[in-house]
Amino acid sequence: REREREREVGRSTMSSGKLEETTTSTSSTSSSSRTPSGRLRQTLQTIHPVFKELLAGGTAGACAKSVVAPLERVKIIIQTTQLQHTTTPSPSLRTQAQVASVPTATAATANINTNNILRNILRTEGTFGLWKGNGASVLRVIPYAALHFSAYERFRTWLLGLDGTSMPEAFRVLGKT
């Protein structure tokens, strides 16, 4: 019991000739490390800053791509629909019967708009149809966004001297010109 009381209240220890006050509460540390958020917080505190930046950039990129995925899907459908109706042979290569039977691009795409396409996707494929193909896009964006954000943070820290080092003289001279 005395040991538990010492842990809860705090104790003085000597390390390398300095007197340190340590306050470790068994109940607070054990309960916070048991919860998922407590474990996540402890894990994130031990990760190197570069890996934190990579994780933050990748997560931000994946979220951003997933938010705009439905509009990207609509855009691609509009582009491919217009492309299908405009890839007919040139008039000089068509016969008179072919010219009369081929609808013009404006007539074929007259009822193509964002609202109609969204309604059609929701009716035929459901809500998840709006994010069809998003997985491949997210897999492409995660490495790009992670490296982009991490490089930005590293260069920003280096150029501003926030990490205790200053920019080499050669680069400072280039900035002055």
Side-chain angles (χ1 to χ4, degrees):
R1 290 184 179 178
E2 289 179 22
R3 287 184 183 174
E4 288 178 18
R5 193 175 295 159
E6 286 177 3
R7 286 184 197 148
E8 289 175 8
V9 174
R11 59 191 162 114
S12 298
T13 58
M14 292 291 278
S15 79
S16 67
K18 296 180 181 174
L19 182 64
E20 294 182 345
E21 183 70 25
T22 58
T23 56
T24 57
S25 174
T26 55
S27 60
S28 65
T29 56
S30 61
S31 66
S32 67
S33 63
R34 287 183 193 157
T35 62
S37 63
R39 283 187 296 223
L40 179 64
R41 191 173 294 123
Q42 286 177 345
T43 303
L44 288 176
Q45 289 174 349
T46 61
I47 295 177
H48 192 274
V50 173
F51 294 118
K52 284 184 191 178
E53 292 161 2
L54 288 170
L55 181 65
T59 304
C63 290
K65 194 66 171 173
S66 295
V67 166
V68 299
L71 293 176
E72 285 288 325
R73 176 106 198 271
V74 169
K75 179 189 79 165
I76 290 169
I77 290 173
I78 289 172
Q79 289 172 342
T80 56
T81 303
Q82 289 176 350
L83 184 66
Q84 289 172 353
H85 293 292
T86 57
T87 55
T88 56
S90 66
S92 62
L93 299 176
R94 287 186 258 159
T95 63
Q96 284 294 62
Q98 288 175 331
V99 170
S101 67
V102 173
T104 62
T106 56
T109 60
N111 64 351
I112 295 178
N113 64 34
T114 305
N115 291 332
N116 289 341
I117 291 173
L118 281 172
R119 274 193 234 115
N120 187 31
I121 291 172
L122 290 171
R123 185 177 65 244
T124 58
E125 301 174 29
T127 305
F128 291 114
L130 294 172
W131 283 272
K132 191 175 187 180
N134 187 46
S137 295
V138 167
L139 286 177
R140 179 185 64 85
V141 154
I142 287 175
Y144 166 77
L147 290 173
H148 189 172
F149 184 75
S150 181
Y152 170 79
E153 283 298 314
R154 291 290 96 201
F155 282 115
R156 186 182 70 86
T157 302
W158 180 58
L159 291 172
L160 295 177
L162 298 176
D163 60 351
T165 61
S166 62
M167 188 171 37
E169 181 64 32
F171 290 113
R172 278 187 273 170
V173 169
L174 289 174
K176 293 176 183 177
T177 60

